[in-house]
Amino acid sequence: MLSVNPRGLITGFGFAPASTKDQTLAEDFFALRQFPHPRMPTVGAPGGGYYVVDKGFEGKERHQDWSSHYDATVVCSPKRNSLHPWPKRLRRWLAGVRQSVESVCAKFHYTFCLDRERPHQLAGFQARLAAKVALHNFCIWLNGQLGRQPLAFAELLQW
C-alpha cells in the first residue's frame, strides 16, 4: 500500500501478506495515518486529503466510513457496469491522476528490482523496502535539483 503525492514522492507505505484483502489493508493504513502508532511509522503522517484508488476499493459506504473515521476522502471511479457509471472523460482524467502511482509501482518492481526480492526474514524485507522508498524519494529530489522530470530515473540509474 502506497501513498504518493502528485509529484511521485512516497508519503507513506505499508505491506501485509498477499492473502490480505485490499480494503482491509487500506482501512488499517488510513487508521494508522490518522492515529499514528510508534511501531508503524512508515505509513506516514495524517493525510487529511484525497486518495485516488483503483476500482478494487469501490464502495460508497466504505468510502463514507473512511472519510468520517480517518479524514480520508477516497476517489474511485465506479465499474463500467455500475448503475451510475462515470462519463468517459471523467474516467480518463482519473486514470491520468492514477498514472503517477502506477509509475511509482513500476519503478519499485523494475528499476529497484522489488519483484526479485526473496528475503529470508521479515525484518530484511522491511529494511530493503524502506531503503528503496528512501532511494526513490531521493531520486525525485535529485531530479528536481537537476531540472529534470521527477520520475525520470533512467539517466540517474544507468549502469
Side-chain angles (χ1 to χ4, degrees):
M1 179 79 44
L2 290 175
S3 176
V4 178
N5 75 10
R7 288 189 57 221
L9 283 170
I10 296 171
T11 62
F13 68 96
F15 63 92
S19 60
T20 305
K21 300 272 188 210
D22 288 342
Q23 296 84 0
T24 304
L25 184 56
E27 176 97 19
D28 292 344
F29 188 79
F30 294 142
L32 287 165
R33 283 178 73 93
Q34 190 64 22
F35 307 106
H37 189 281
R39 294 190 61 195
M40 300 292 202
T42 64
V43 297
Y50 290 90
Y51 293 87
V52 177
V53 298
D54 64 26
K55 293 176 184 158
F57 296 91
E58 185 183 42
K60 187 175 182 179
E61 289 179 27
R62 181 178 299 122
H63 295 180
Q64 289 172 340
D65 286 345
W66 291 343
S67 179
S68 65
H69 293 112
Y70 311 121
D71 196 24
T73 304
V74 175
V75 179
C76 173
S77 66
K79 295 178 181 170
R80 289 188 188 189
N81 61 356
S82 168
L83 295 175
H84 306 287
W86 284 8
K88 187 174 185 176
R89 187 174 179 188
L90 188 54
R91 286 194 321 266
R92 283 191 180 195
W93 171 80
L94 190 63
V97 171
R98 279 194 37 78
Q99 188 59 47
S100 64
V101 177
E102 298 299 334
S103 295
V104 169
C105 289
K107 298 268 185 242
F108 270 80
H109 283 282
Y110 305 114
T111 306
F112 299 138
C113 302
L114 187 63
D115 61 333
R116 295 187 197 145
E117 290 286 340
R118 300 292 181 257
H120 297 285
Q121 300 267 336
L122 181 59
F125 176 73
Q126 289 173 314
R128 289 179 188 152
L129 182 59
K132 290 173 192 288
V133 168
L135 178 60
H136 170 86
N137 284 349
F138 172 77
C139 288
I140 289 178
W141 173 84
L142 184 58
N143 275 338
Q145 299 301 305
L146 299 173
R148 297 178 179 164
Q149 292 296 315
L151 294 172
F153 289 11
E155 293 178 18
L156 289 175
L157 300 176
Q158 287 178 352
W159 43 66

